[in-house]
């Protein structure tokens, strides 16, 4: 398949690349200490990775995450290929979606799938100027030697899978691992999560895919917000340590963090302003400004909460594009409206545009929750969520 062409490189990208080269030369030319320091590189794709990341993190835009394989189950539909295709067709043929959405995270089936009329889903996305992305991890399994924690599989064969996905039109990837606060987290689990993310990121970049780096700190637990901040700082410090050790180009990645909130079972709820304060504190302490975009997950918050929190974060002026990469918080009302019926498709597409627009406004800090539906206020927290 021909490669996806979205827009021409801007001079900013080129300038960013030049300074990267300068830094590489300085690092290689003047080794004062006896440490092996090589150039920062990402194979032959560096320029394109930087462009892809910038494009996906462009103003007013965010990511639609549809890499869960059984979203239909939440409205009682069977998890069949026909139902999965019908639902993805509804989402990916929504007219005007590209006004608010710059990237869509698919799972493997969708990347190779077509509409019932025979049009490839990647072509539907291309038409709306939406970057196709792909979930590349192979899921969570128990981590022996830890405190009942898990690790994320998928490094075996990852390079060849990424190369194939690139040929099919994917331009970014996602790898989600999780950290549990009630389980510790143990030093082993944090190190494993960070190292796995960094290896994945280096391999994805080497094959032309911008890696979305997602160490999800689960909402589970009754801890206060301060504890989440402490854990998030620890996790992101390790993630960036290993990303650097693996020579990952920071200008060519996107982050998908959890917002810093109290545990789901904590006695007090935090306001959007409080969540924004703690989350931005963590990000400012840990994330270099070279990273183009912070694309939050919603983690089980209601649609409205996720949008309000994003809006609060965009009241500050931030060094990165601060936006969304929601699955549940973009799709809950859509699914409830659709109910698997053809006659509801147009209404469900309208519901998707309503949420996408609300989050686009929140990306600019211009959202108001006035007039939100009851459905949009319904929380979706679920223990052991797997995507
Ligand atoms: P939500 O937490 O927004 O449902 O997304 C999880 C995820 O990682 C989907 O890509």
């Amino acid at each position: 398949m021909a490669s996806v062409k979205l827009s021409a490189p801007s001079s900013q990208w080129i300038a960013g690349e030049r300074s990267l080269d300068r830094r590489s030369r300085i690092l290689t030319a003047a080794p004062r200490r006896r440490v092996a320091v090589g150039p920062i590189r990402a194979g032959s794709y560096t320029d394109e990775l930087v462009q892809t990341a910038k494009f996906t993190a462009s103003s007013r835009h965010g990511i639609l995450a549809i890499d869960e394989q059984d979203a239909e189950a939440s409205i009682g539909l069977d998890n069949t290929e026909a139902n999965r295709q019908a639902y993805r067709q509804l989402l990916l043929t929504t007219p005007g979606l590209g006004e608010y959405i710059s990237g869509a995270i698919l799972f493997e089936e969708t990347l190779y799938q077509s509409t019932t009329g025979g049009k490839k889903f990647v072509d539907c996305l291309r038409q709306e100027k939406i970057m196709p992305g792909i979930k590349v991890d192979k899921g969570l399994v128990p981590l022996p030697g830890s405190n009942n924690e898990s690790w994320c599989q998928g490094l075996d064969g990852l390079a060849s899978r990424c190369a194939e996905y690139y040929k099919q039109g994917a331009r970014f990837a996602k790898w989600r691992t999780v950290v549990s606060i009630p389980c510790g987290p143990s030093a082993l689990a944090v190190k494993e999560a960070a190292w796995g993310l960094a290896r994945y990121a280096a391999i994805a970049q080497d094959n032309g895919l911008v890696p979305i780096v997602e160490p999800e700190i689960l909402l589970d637990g009754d801890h206060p917000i301060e504890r989440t901040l402490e854990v998030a700082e620890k996790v992101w410090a390790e993630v960036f340590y290993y990303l650097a050790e693996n020579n990952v180009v920071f200008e060519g990645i996107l982050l998908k963090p959890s917002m810093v909130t109290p545990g789901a079972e904590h006695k007090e709820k935090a306001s959007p302003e409080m969540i924004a304060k703690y989350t931005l504190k963590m990000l400012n302490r840990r994330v270099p400004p070279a990273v183009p975009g912070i694309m939050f997950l919603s983690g089980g918050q209601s649609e409205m909460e996720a949008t309000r929190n994003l809006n609060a974060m965009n009241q500050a002026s931030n060094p990165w594009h601060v936006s969304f990469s929601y699955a549940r918080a973009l799709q809950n009302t859509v699914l409830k409206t659709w109910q698997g019926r053809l006659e509801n498709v147009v209404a469900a597409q309208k519901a998707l545009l309503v949420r996408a627009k609300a989050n686009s406004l929140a990306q600019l800090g211009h959202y108001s929750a006035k007039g939100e539906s009851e459905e949009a206020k319904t929380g979706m927290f679920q223990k052991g969520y797997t995507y």
Side-chain angles (χ1 to χ4, degrees):
M1 217 192 78
S3 64
V4 176
K5 285 199 174 56
L6 288 153
S7 64
S10 76
S11 54
Q12 237 182 330
W13 293 330
I14 293 163
E17 186 43 32
R18 277 203 204 107
S19 62
L20 201 68
D21 285 347
R22 245 194 335 267
R23 230 182 114 205
S24 309
R25 278 202 300 278
I26 291 163
L27 281 171
T28 40
R32 287 199 171 156
R33 290 182 297 137
R34 291 176 71 79
V35 285
V37 181
I40 296 172
R41 51 168 288 278
S44 49
Y45 287 105
T46 308
D47 290 357
E48 190 182 328
L49 292 167
V50 174
Q51 288 178 29
T52 302
K54 278 258 179 202
F55 177 88
T56 312
S58 57
S59 179
R60 296 184 291 112
H61 288 80
I63 294 175
L64 170 65
I66 52 167
D67 52 310
E68 66 295 72
Q69 291 158 40
D70 58 357
E72 306 74 22
S74 71
I75 49 167
L77 291 187
D78 290 340
N79 189 11
T80 61
E81 189 179 346
N83 282 339
R84 292 194 297 271
Q85 180 194 32
Y87 181 52
R88 266 113 208 136
Q89 178 162 335
L90 178 164
L91 297 170
L92 301 180
T93 62
T94 299
L97 192 61
E99 206 177 317
Y100 314 113
I101 301 292
S102 52
I105 312 177
L106 315 176
F107 69 100
E108 198 178 63
E109 178 181 87
T110 321
L111 185 68
Y112 291 88
Q113 209 167 30
S114 302
T115 63
T116 45
K119 184 168 176 177
K120 289 219 166 282
F121 283 138
V122 285
D123 291 336
C124 300
L125 290 171
R126 192 196 322 238
Q127 195 176 318
E128 282 285 337
K129 293 199 167 31
I130 299 174
M131 285 278 182
I134 175 82
K135 175 183 172 75
V136 298
D137 69 72
K138 295 275 185 190
L140 302 165
V141 285
L143 177 63
S146 73
N147 189 23
N148 261 330
E149 293 159 283
S150 47
W151 69 288
C152 183
Q153 307 178 105
L155 291 176
D156 282 2
L158 181 60
S160 52
R161 280 190 290 127
C162 285
E164 280 306 312
Y165 296 151
Y166 183 94
K167 278 193 212 150
Q168 189 61 20
R171 288 296 177 271
F172 68 93
K174 159 195 154 160
W175 176 284
R176 172 185 179 261
T177 191
V178 300
V179 172
S180 160
I181 296 183
C183 290
S186 67
L188 172 66
V190 173
K191 185 172 179 172
E192 170 55 39
W195 179 255
L197 281 164
R199 291 300 310 132
Y200 138 77
I203 294 167
Q205 286 195 335
D206 209 37
N207 289 282
L209 302 182
V210 166
I212 292 189
V213 177
E214 180 180 3
E216 177 169 354
I217 297 167
L218 297 169
L219 278 179
D220 306 59
D222 58 7
H223 49 275
I225 196 166
E226 290 79 8
R227 175 69 183 140
T228 312
L229 176 66
E230 188 180 21
V231 172
E233 286 186 358
K234 170 83 186 133
V235 169
W236 281 106
E238 290 216 26
V239 169
F240 274 100
Y241 177 80
Y242 289 125
L243 286 172
E245 193 160 90
N246 281 273
N247 295 322
V248 169
V249 176
F250 289 176
E251 288 84 347
I253 65 174
L254 294 168
L255 307 187
K256 182 159 172 167
S258 323
M259 295 178 191
V260 176
T261 67
E265 286 105 24
H266 187 62
K267 52 188 185 312
E268 280 161 34
K269 275 208 133 283
S271 65
E273 292 69 33
M274 175 79 102
I275 290 169
K277 181 176 144 191
Y278 276 79
T279 307
L280 292 177
K281 184 184 277 196
M282 183 279 286
L283 294 173
N284 278 305
R285 286 174 173 174
R286 291 293 180 265
V287 181
V291 173
I294 312 278
M295 320 298 284
F296 285 104
L297 58 89
S298 60
Q301 300 176 34
S302 73
E303 291 176 328
M304 194 179 81
E305 268 176 318
T307 312
R308 286 183 74 199
N309 293 341
L310 179 62
N311 190 61
M313 242 133 4
N314 280 303
Q315 300 310 307
S317 100
N318 298 305
W320 339 265
H321 173 77
V322 173
S323 191
F324 59 95
S325 173
Y326 298 155
R328 284 165 282 180
L330 279 171
Q331 293 178 64
N332 182 45
T333 307
V334 178
L335 282 160
K336 302 269 163 61
T337 308
W338 177 48
Q339 291 299 329
R341 292 166 192 266
L342 199 57
E343 63 270 27
N344 295 339
V345 165
V346 171
Q349 289 181 328
K350 273 196 189 133
L352 176 61
L353 285 179
V354 166
R355 284 279 32 105
K357 183 175 180 187
N359 286 298
S360 165
L361 288 169
Q363 198 289 308
L364 299 170
H366 296 161
Y367 162 78
S368 152
K370 233 161 89 196
E372 285 281 21
S373 69
E374 281 313 302
E375 199 54 66
K377 297 176 190 163
T378 313
M380 287 163 281
F381 171 68
Q382 186 189 329
K383 276 193 177 182
Y385 182 73
T386 45
Y387 300 105

